Amino acid sequence: VQLQASGGGLVQAGGSLRLSCAASGSGRTFSRYTMGWFRQAPGKEREFVAGISWAIGETRYADSVKGRFTISRDNSKNTVYLQMNSLKPEDTAVYYCAADARIGILTTINYDYWGQGTLVTVSS
C-alpha cells in the first residue's frame, strides 16, 4: 500500500493543523489496516504519536499529545487524519503515517508500510 501524507506547515504555538494520510494501491481494503502517526524531530528517534485500529476503532496516544491530538479515519476515502490542537514548539518534527495489517495498535516502528512524511514546524 502507498501512503501519502500531507497537511504539514508552519504554525504559531497554540495553533492547529490537520494532517491527512491517503492510502492507495493495496489489495487489502484500507478499513482492515491499523493506522499510526509517528514523528521524528531533528537528532531524535522516530516516536509514536497516535494510532487507530481497524477492528473496533480503538485509539491510542502518546502521553505528550493526549488531550491535544485526535486521530480519526474515513474508510470511504481511504484516509486517516491527525487533528493537532494547542501545538507547542516541541511538536516540531516530520510526521509520518504508517499502516499495519495486525489488529492491535503498535507503538513501535514495526509497521508494514510508511508514508514519506510531512514537516510540521511550530514557532514560539
Side-chain angles (χ1 to χ4, degrees):
V1 61
Q2 289 78 50
L3 303 174
Q4 181 73 41
S6 61
L10 175 63
V11 63
Q12 289 187 333
S16 299
L17 281 175
R18 188 177 80 155
L19 305 183
S20 300
C21 175
S24 63
S26 173
R28 181 185 180 99
T29 59
F30 173 77
S31 62
R32 291 174 63 83
Y33 281 105
T34 288
M35 301 299 296
W37 284 99
F38 288 72
R39 66 187 181 187
Q40 188 166 17
K44 295 188 176 181
E45 294 186 350
R46 193 170 298 188
E47 64 176 2
F48 172 80
V49 175
I52 184 166
S53 70
W54 64 264
I56 58 174
E58 174 193 7
T59 58
R60 182 177 291 183
Y61 298 92
D63 289 342
S64 59
V65 306
K66 279 181 182 176
R68 300 188 298 124
F69 290 11
T70 302
I71 187 171
S72 62
R73 66 192 300 162
D74 186 339
N75 290 332
S76 69
K77 296 181 178 180
N78 291 352
T79 300
V80 63
Y81 303 97
L82 185 68
Q83 178 66 44
M84 306 185 295
N85 299 328
S86 302
L87 283 162
K88 305 175 181 179
E90 51 263 44
D91 294 319
T92 295
V94 177
Y95 283 70
Y96 298 89
C97 60
D100 193 83
R102 286 163 283 197
I103 294 176
I105 299 172
L106 296 175
T107 59
T108 63
I109 62 172
N110 298 318
Y111 279 64
D112 295 328
Y113 304 98
W114 290 86
Q116 86 292 357
T118 185
L119 176 62
V120 172
T121 303
V122 184
S123 62
S124 58

